[in-house]
Amino acid sequence: MDQKKDIRALSKDQLRDFFISQNDKAFRGNQVYEWLWQKGAHTFEDMSNISKETRKMLTENFVINHIEVDDMQQSNDGTVKNAVKLHDGLVVESVLIPTETRTTACVSSQVGCSLNCTFCATARLKKMRNLNPDEIYDQVHAIDQQSRLYQNHKLSNIVFMGMGEPLLNYANVLKAIDMITSEEGLGMSPRRITISTVGLPKMIKKLADDEVKFNLAVSLHSAIDEVRSKMMPINDTSNLAELMDSLQYWYHKTKRIITFEYVVWKSINDKQKDIDALVDYCKKVPSKVNLIEYNAIEEDGFKQANPKVIENYVRVLENNNITVNVRRSRGKDIDAACGQLANKKV
Ligand code: SAH
């Protein structure tokens, strides 16, 4: 059977040209484009202001590879985890995280992950493929609808902290963000979007050169190379000095401060020297620190540090005028918390 083309791979201009080639009006392209993106149509049948014949012609030529939320679990803290089924049957996860003032969507950028961070559940799945721009966009669109339904307000923030490494799917992630921020998509402000990365210096510099308007978070977890390499193998390829060089480049170009994500583990990074190294690292570039609660994944041997150590981290960072937040875990009871996304059904 002929593989029909995914209609959302077409730009608006290409869609307008397609309608002209069909002896129809270019304007029809605008209408269909609006259905595909802003209105999130799952099928051509949904397009109620498009004639029956046109819908039939579209069905003969194209498919809409829309995601389907296959399963939805709600945590007792209001967090919602979606198992998102892709057109080829693969599954990723997305999470809606409500607070009193905002709703954040945590979305995936790849199916699985190739980076092998020792403490992360997604690393246990091998990387299967990159998500397409529309598959990333659809996760956000679906959570926006859930937010309107359950929270009575629209989605306010997006973090790329789901499955995968967004900077290893650079072009598709940026295309998706373009659509999310466009008035023809969801019209969200890029200031409310954060990409989280293991820290790939070349790609961080590329982001800066591309003058992106969203925020950058880096999973640091240690400011000592030997310690970081044990937790994050990527550190053997790009060490802390190279990472810092790219972060200074980012700041110089964008003037936006960097968030460091940092888990404090028992016997790994809970000594004074670990704190001192973090302070020194943070002083090299305008930055703040999010101390993330550790979410244990099956017998991996890692334990969250003693609360006294975390208090000490906070005190020392604050004494050095570095902003620090302690991030409590959300959605733990449904395996929706940071590092727990690894669909158990696949
Ligand atoms: N690849 C990107 C985004 C996905 S991970 C990145 O590494 O940043 C999102 C965040 O969850 C990262 O900060 C990651 O270090 C953190 N994380 C992974 N496993 C975790 C766990 N078990 N407990 C707490 N945080 C975890």
Side-chain angles (χ1 to χ4, degrees), residues 89-329:
L90 292 172
V91 178
V92 291
E93 293 180 337
S94 68
V95 185
L96 172 156
I97 309 156
T99 64
E100 264 160 37
T101 50
R102 50 160 87 167
T103 307
T104 302
C106 175
V107 297
S108 295
S109 54
Q110 298 182 311
V111 188
C113 190
S114 56
L115 290 168
N116 292 321
C117 298
T118 50
F119 48 87
C120 179
T122 306
R124 313 255 162 125
L125 309 167
K126 63 178 194 317
K127 189 206 130 188
M128 287 175 259
R129 71 169 172 88
N130 283 334
L131 294 188
N132 294 324
D134 49 279
E135 292 169 327
I136 297 169
Y137 178 88
D138 286 352
Q139 294 174 63
V140 176
H141 195 278
I143 292 182
D144 181 45
Q145 289 187 321
Q146 291 174 337
S147 178
R148 289 168 199 265
L149 191 66
Y150 300 126
Q151 314 294 326
N152 292 317
H153 56 77
K154 62 183 184 176
L155 180 64
S156 53
N157 296 72
I158 303 170
V159 293
F160 280 77
M161 295 185 188
M163 297 162 81
E165 168 53 44
L167 296 189
L168 288 179
N169 186 15
Y170 190 94
N172 290 352
V173 166
L174 261 65
K175 271 192 201 156
I177 293 178
D178 271 352
M179 207 54 199
I180 292 164
T181 52
S182 148
E183 281 311 318
E184 291 178 327
L186 294 168
M188 286 184 68
S189 163
R191 312 264 163 204
R192 291 174 170 272
I193 300 176
T194 301
I195 279 206
S196 175
T197 173
V198 287
L200 305 170
K202 276 200 194 107
M203 302 318 282
I204 291 172
K205 286 189 176 174
K206 184 162 167 51
L207 283 175
D209 288 338
D210 287 344
E211 297 179 7
V212 298
K213 298 285 181 281
F214 49 77
N215 303 301
L216 182 65
V218 175
S219 301
L220 192 66
H221 303 312
S222 175
I224 301 175
D225 275 315
E226 305 82 78
V227 180
R228 190 168 192 259
S229 288
K230 270 194 217 144
M231 312 307 285
M232 307 177 71
I234 189 69
N235 197 69
D236 288 331
T237 321
S238 332
N239 64 18
L240 286 160
E242 279 174 70
L243 177 59
M244 181 50 72
D245 174 59
S246 69
L247 296 176
Q248 287 170 338
Y249 187 87
W250 158 276
Y251 185 76
H252 178 72
K253 288 241 165 171
T254 68
K255 295 288 174 290
R256 283 205 304 288
I257 77 162
I258 292 136
T259 302
F260 288 125
E261 294 155 274
Y262 198 103
V263 174
V264 190
W265 289 282
K266 193 173 175 182
S267 308
I268 290 180
N269 55 358
D270 60 352
K271 306 283 179 313
Q272 190 61 41
K273 68 173 193 317
D274 297 295
I275 306 181
D276 294 343
L278 177 61
V279 167
D280 286 348
Y281 203 71
C282 288
K283 283 188 175 167
K284 292 183 182 152
V285 71
S287 52
K288 62 175 181 167
V289 176
N290 279 351
L291 293 177
I292 316 172
E293 191 179 328
Y294 176 58
N295 299 301
I297 49 172
E298 303 149 17
E299 311 112 36
D300 64 4
F302 299 121
K303 282 204 177 62
Q304 164 101 351
N306 187 312
K308 287 251 169 344
V309 176
I310 297 173
E311 281 167 30
N312 203 21
Y313 259 95
V314 171
R315 197 176 49 243
V316 177
L317 286 163
E318 283 179 345
N319 285 345
N320 282 280
N321 297 321
I322 299 160
T323 305
V324 53
N325 293 300
V326 180
R327 290 266 183 244
R328 299 266 164 255
S329 220

